[in-house]
Structures are given as C-alpha cells and as structure tokens.
C-alpha cells in the first residue's frame, strides 16, 4: 500500500501543472520519481525547449540571469531579491527570477520591470498559445503577486512559424509575443482553491486513478508504464482503437463496451467503423477485389519514393522555418517494366544543409514522367513545395514531381483492413499483415522518430566516424525498407481467415 509523507512537499509550477493533469501524477512525482520513464521523443522535446529558451533570452534583449538552479531554491530566491533591490535601469529584465508564496515556488522565464508594474514573460517552444500555458502563467502570476511583485501584464512568447531563417546567426523575428493578461486574470480566482487541493493530494495517500485519455493530455505522462503495469490487462482489441471516432468511443464505453469484438454492428455508424469491427470480430481480413485491379492499372515506369525529414524549433539552415520538415534522405525503387527494378538513394550526413543536393539528386532519379508512388502523399508533397520555393531554378521540375505523386494509402484505406492493423493504415501496421518477413522490428532504426534521432546523432560533430558510418548504414536500410514495403504491397493478399474470435454480444 502507498505510504504518506510526514511533511507536505512544496509545490512548484510544473508540479501544479502535473496535478491539474492528474492527482496521481503529482503524487508519483513527489513520492515515486524513480518510476518515471521519459521517452526519447519526450526528452527531445524538452531539449528543444531548453535550447529555444536560451536563445529567447538574447531575443528578448538580454538581462540579469538568476544562476542558482532548481536544487538551490533558497539561493535563487536570495539572488532574485538582490537583483530586484537594484535600480530598475541596472536590472530592467531578470531571467529565471524565483518567487515563493504559500508553499508554491516558481521560476519566471523573464520578468520585465516597468514604471507601472512588471511584465511576466513566459517562453514556450510551441507554435501557438495553448490552454495549459494560460494556467501555467496564472500560477506564476499568483505566486509573484503573492511575493510582492506588481504584475501588470502577462505575455506569452512563442515561436513565430512564419519566420524564415535568412542570415546565419540572425534569429530576430523568431519570437512572437502575445498579451495574455486578460486570460490569465480570468483564471486567477481558481488558483488558491487549486493549490489547496493539490497540497491535500501531496500530503495524502496515492490517489486511485485508472489510466485513460487524460494520461496524454495535455502532456504524455512519464508514469504511464508504471500505472499500466499495476492494472489488469484490458481486451486485446479495445474499442478505443477505432480511428477518428472520439464520440463513438465515448458512447461505447458509456454503454459498457470495452472489447471491440463484443460490439454489435448496429452500435456503429455504417462504413469504415463497421468494417473494422466486423474484421476484428471475425478475424478475416477485408480485401476488396478492386484493390488488385486498381494497383495493376498503375502505369510504368513506376517510382516508389520515400522521404525522411527532420525539423527544428530553431531553424538550422538558411531558407527554412521553425518546425518545417526538412528532407535529408530518400529511397527510390524504380520499376521501368514489370519486375525490372533499380534502386537509388540519397543521404547527407555532413551537417550542412542537405536541401540543394537532395533536390538535384531527386530530380535526376525521377526523370520527367511516370507515377511517383508514395504512402501518405502529404509527407512528400510539403517538402517538394518547400524546395520549389527555395530553389526557383528547380521549381517547375519539383512541382512537376509533386503532381506525379500517387498515394497508395487511400487505396489501402478504402479496400483493405486486417485486425492486426489496430485501426491504423500506417505502412508499418499494414506491411506485417501482408508480408511478415519484411517487418521493421529487425532493423536497428525502425521508425521515423528513431531515424530523426539517428540523423541528429550522425551530424553531430562529436560523433566518431565509425559510429557515423554505422548510422549511415542503419538509416539507409530503414528508408529502403519503406520503398520495399510499397513494392511488396503492390501485390495485396487474398482474403484469409485468422484464428476464430468471439462473436458480438451485449456488454457484460
Ligand atoms: S499514467 Fe495516467 S493515471 Fe498514471 S499518473 Fe500518469 S496521468 Fe495519472
């Protein structure tokens, strides 16, 4: 059984946010921090936020940085008090100012001192203001005012996605300041009650809360594996695997259905959801006879193409924007005539902008005619348009390629489903149901996140040459597998029967 703490732990801004998401998350952060597991993707987001925050200090105009870290809170409070005791002209802006009020401690990204009060600036490496940011700022404002500061204005400084990096080292314009004072003021009356409630949670026993949709909203909870391990296993095919069906799932759960195989067809809207439920229940894959006909009708020469991209909050190469998917690698299988195959690829691990060489190599590979087969067209179309805007001399050819894109995903979505796809038509879900021998789990790099991480490691100047060569081979194998997969999926399976499943029945 979970124990309780002898003294009430102090709250911080991030702990209050955790408590708003889930009382159990707050409790675990305070009492079982060892049980947290941060994914590589979550860590990458945190690292990007840290990098953006450091750059933002320059973009905001410089100031006095309170150096003491989160492990030395009393030092940070003393440093802040000393800086604020200076005349305003000597310390007009403080970074990481520390305040404490009624057991809640916060660090303010930037505190701008004005004649008629302070402006509290929160920096976020996101593309817009989100509801959780407003609560974040409300907590900070409540604490800073409680500690004696006259906060007159609250600003959220986020990433301006229209910013285009032009001159090396010049990031002016990357920050977009939004006045959120009114939204924060509207939330302030809630804060004392929230803080009192979370203090009770912190000092009490571990809350009994089951996992659910709240575990990923607004942030992925690092205790998910810990919580799931303590819960009984759910059905093999839960109703929440139904795609794009939030309302339907909520209705089914409210009616007591958790296992998709037990849901009667009549409880679902006609069309794709009914098909998914039927295939899941019977175990028999759905393959429309139209699918092989449509695939066979595609003309030659055929180009099977896949891009890998990377994106940065702070653009790395001139001509690119924040969050822009920048292509650094492609694989292309060329089928001139049925069965006559050649392969070409591109991968630049120099760390310099890969864009020009990527575009030229791509155009040389694809020629001027023949369908360019992709899986999920938008993933290739957007980089092609960006490249066309960046290189006017190649624009016509690149836009011509974009017009030749032929998306296999909608064909499969309309005409194929296997229950092991679990509601997803991503190529990594479809392929194992058609060609298990081509699975991705045998690869050292097996998904897009790992490919991005591998690329970033490879272009890091500190990476030894041997490791870079290994990453080159792993990235090449991964991207090639995507185009091999498309080639294989040109021959869809005949309908087949999977192991028997339980029939639909009312919820227990
Ligand atoms: S995994 Fe879900 S239930 Fe568990 S602490 Fe996190 S948010 Fe709460």
């Amino acid at each position: 059984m979970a124990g309780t703490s002898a003294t009430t732990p102090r709250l911080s801004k991030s702990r209050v946010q955790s408590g708003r998401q889930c009382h159990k998350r707050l409790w675990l952060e305070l009492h079982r921090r060892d049980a947290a597991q941060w994914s590589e993707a979550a860590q990458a987001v945190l690292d990007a936020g840290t990098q953006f925050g450091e750059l933002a200090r320059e973009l905001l105009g410089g100031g006095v940085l309170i150096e003491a870290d989160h492990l030395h809170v009393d030092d940070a409070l003393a440093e802040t008090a000393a800086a604020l005791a200076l005349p305003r002209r000597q310390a007009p802006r403080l970074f990481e100012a520390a305040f404490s009020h009624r057991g809640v401690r916060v660090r303010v990204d930037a505190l701008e001192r004005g004649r008629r009060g302070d402006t509290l600036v929160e920096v976020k490496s996101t593309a817009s203001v989100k509801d959780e940011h407003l609560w974040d700022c409300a907590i900070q404002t409540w604490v800073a005012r409680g500690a004696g500061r006259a906060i007159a204005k609250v600003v959220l400084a986020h990433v301006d996605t229209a910013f285009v990096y032009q001159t090396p080292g010049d990031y002016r314009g990357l920050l977009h300041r939004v006045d959120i004072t009114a939204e924060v003021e509207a939330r302030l009356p809630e804060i004392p009650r929230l803080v009192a409630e979370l203090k009770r949670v912190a000092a009490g026993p571990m809350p009994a809360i089951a996992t659910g949709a709240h575990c990923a909203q607004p942030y992925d909870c690092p205790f998910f594996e810990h919580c799931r391990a303590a819960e009984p296993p759910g059905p093999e095919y839960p109703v929440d695997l139904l795609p794009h069906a939030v309302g339907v799932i909520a209705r089914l759960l409210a009616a007591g259905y958790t296992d998709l195989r037990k849901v009667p067809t009549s409880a679902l809207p006609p069309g794709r959801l009914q098909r998914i439920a039927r295939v899941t229940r019977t175990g028999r894959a759905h393959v429309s006879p139209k699918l092989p006909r449509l695939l066979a009708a595609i003309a030659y020469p055929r180009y099977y193409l896949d891009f890998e991209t990377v994106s940065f909050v702070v653009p790395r190469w001139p001509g690119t924007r924040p969050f822009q998917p920048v292509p650094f690698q492609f694989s292309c299988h060329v089928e001139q005539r049925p069965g006559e195959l050649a392969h070409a690829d591109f991968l630049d691990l120099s760390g310099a902008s890969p864009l020009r060489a990527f575009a030229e190599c791509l155009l040389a590979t694809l020629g001027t005619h023949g369908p360019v087969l992709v899986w999920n067209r938008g993933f290739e179309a957007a980089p092609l348009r960006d490249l066309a805007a960046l290189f006017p001399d190649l624009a016509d050819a690149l836009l011509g390629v974009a017009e030749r894109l032929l998306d296999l995903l909608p064909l499969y979505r309309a005409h194929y489903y296997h229950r092991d796809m679990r509601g997803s038509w991503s190529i990594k879900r479809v392929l194992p149901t058609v060609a298990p021998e081509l699975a991705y789990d045998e690869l050292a790099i097996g998904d897009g996140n790992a490919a991005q991480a591998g690329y970033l490691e490879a272009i890091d100047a500190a990476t030894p040459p041997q490791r870079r060569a290994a990453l080159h081979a792993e990235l090449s194998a991964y991207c090639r597998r995507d185009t091999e997969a498309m080639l294989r999926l040109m021959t869809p399976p005949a309908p087949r029967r999977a192991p028997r499943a339980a029939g639909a029945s009312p919820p227990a």
Side-chain angles (χ1 to χ4, degrees):
M1 191 180 133
T4 59
S5 172
T7 58
T8 304
R10 287 187 182 277
L11 295 175
S12 64
K13 168 186 92 165
S14 59
R15 285 176 181 167
V16 173
Q17 287 287 65
S18 293
R20 283 192 64 248
Q21 176 173 1
C22 172
H23 285 179
K24 187 176 177 184
R25 175 174 178 171
L26 168 65
W27 193 95
L28 288 169
E29 280 186 10
L30 292 166
H31 303 285
R32 285 296 317 276
R33 239 187 132 61
D34 59 299
Q37 289 179 41
W38 293 98
S39 67
E40 273 189 20
Q43 192 57 51
V45 170
L46 287 177
D47 293 346
T50 303
Q51 186 201 6
F52 181 69
E54 286 167 6
L55 176 62
R57 286 181 204 145
E58 282 175 40
L59 297 175
L60 287 168
V64 176
L65 175 64
I66 305 302
E67 301 271 2
D69 65 20
H70 70 284
L71 297 174
H72 302 89
V73 179
D74 290 336
D75 293 345
L77 290 167
E79 265 190 68
T80 302
L84 290 173
L86 296 170
R88 189 159 53 87
R89 65 179 182 286
Q90 281 183 34
R93 186 181 290 109
L94 272 59
F95 296 119
E96 298 298 323
F99 299 106
S100 177
H101 176 58
R102 293 204 203 162
V104 185
R105 292 167 164 180
V106 300
R107 301 294 290 264
V108 176
D109 285 340
L111 187 79
E112 298 176 341
R113 300 166 71 191
R115 259 187 305 161
R116 298 207 179 113
D118 301 333
T119 298
L120 185 151
V121 183
E122 173 69 8
V123 175
K124 293 291 183 195
S125 58
T126 56
S128 61
V129 179
K130 299 181 179 180
D131 184 62
E132 58 268 25
H133 301 161
L134 302 173
W135 285 102
D136 186 327
C137 290
I139 296 156
Q140 293 182 59
T141 302
W142 181 77
V143 171
R145 283 183 180 165
R149 299 307 302 176
I151 305 294
K153 188 175 175 183
V154 185
V155 166
L156 195 106
H158 66 77
V159 180
D160 187 342
T161 52
F163 171 80
V164 180
Y165 184 42
Q166 302 283 13
T167 309
D170 184 356
Y171 288 100
R172 286 173 297 172
L174 180 62
L175 269 190
H176 179 62
R177 291 172 68 116
V178 182
D179 185 340
I180 55 168
T181 311
E183 291 91 334
V184 167
E185 295 288 0
R187 284 161 176 76
L188 277 172
E190 288 287 309
I191 301 298
R193 181 202 57 75
L194 176 65
V195 168
E197 175 183 301
L198 296 184
K199 282 181 179 172
R200 281 196 296 277
V201 171
M206 184 174 78
I209 296 174
T211 55
H214 65 281
C215 302
Q217 289 297 331
Y219 305 107
D220 286 333
C221 177
F223 297 102
F224 188 76
E225 298 304 327
H226 173 79
C227 289
R228 282 295 295 139
E231 293 175 353
E236 191 178 356
Y237 297 97
V239 293
D240 60 9
L241 64 72
L242 290 171
H244 311 296
V246 176
V248 173
I249 293 167
R251 271 208 316 278
L252 292 174
L253 291 173
Y257 292 105
T258 55
D259 187 336
L260 186 55
R261 291 171 297 186
K262 304 258 171 82
V263 175
T265 305
S266 59
L268 293 163
R272 192 183 307 158
L273 296 186
Q274 284 195 359
R275 185 188 305 152
I276 290 172
R278 190 185 67 247
V279 168
T280 305
R281 193 168 54 243
T282 63
R284 191 183 309 157
H286 166 78
V287 189
S288 157
K290 285 185 186 167
L291 184 58
R293 286 206 297 272
L294 289 166
L295 295 172
I298 296 173
Y300 291 87
R302 296 171 175 175
Y303 298 87
Y304 302 86
L305 181 67
D306 182 64
F307 290 175
E308 294 307 320
T309 63
V310 66
S311 62
F312 301 95
V313 176
V314 178
R316 183 182 177 111
W317 299 301
T320 61
R321 305 180 307 277
F323 306 115
Q324 177 183 332
V326 177
F328 62 87
Q329 177 180 19
F330 74 76
S331 167
C332 183
H333 276 89
V334 184
E335 193 175 20
Q336 287 291 345
R337 278 171 284 280
E340 186 182 314
L341 281 171
H343 181 255
D345 60 9
F346 174 89
L347 175 58
D348 176 358
L349 299 183
S350 68
S353 171
L355 291 172
R356 181 77 196 190
F358 179 97
E360 289 177 353
C361 187
L362 184 72
L363 292 175
T365 301
L366 296 179
T368 56
H369 72 287
V372 178
L373 281 65
V374 293
W375 197 273
N376 199 356
R377 183 179 187 282
F379 199 75
E380 276 74 26
L384 284 168
R385 284 195 300 271
D386 288 335
L387 289 169
L390 188 58
F391 304 120
D393 58 319
L394 303 179
D396 286 350
L398 290 162
L399 294 175
V401 170
E403 288 191 1
R404 289 162 56 199
L405 295 181
L406 197 162
D407 197 345
L408 296 176
L409 171 61
L411 294 182
Y412 260 81
R413 188 186 281 136
H415 299 295
Y416 178 77
Y417 186 71
H418 186 290
R419 69 179 181 183
D420 290 349
M421 288 157 55
R422 305 179 68 80
S424 165
W425 277 264
S426 94
I427 200 164
K428 291 171 184 62
R429 286 283 178 83
V430 176
L431 186 67
T433 71
V434 176
E437 72 280 6
L438 283 180
Y440 285 79
D441 46 18
E442 68 182 35
L443 300 175
I445 288 177
D447 62 40
N449 285 338
Q452 286 199 20
Y455 175 71
L456 292 175
E457 183 185 350
I459 65 171
D460 187 331
T463 299
Q466 277 177 324
R467 174 65 181 149
R468 185 170 296 118
L471 286 165
H472 193 291
E474 291 168 7
L475 285 163
S476 297
Y478 168 66
C479 196
R480 183 177 179 128
R481 178 57 52 90
D482 276 339
T483 51
E484 286 169 342
M486 277 189 278
L487 260 171
R488 177 63 185 83
L489 291 174
M490 295 304 283
T491 309
R496 63 172 186 244
R497 189 181 288 272
R500 284 184 77 80
S505 58

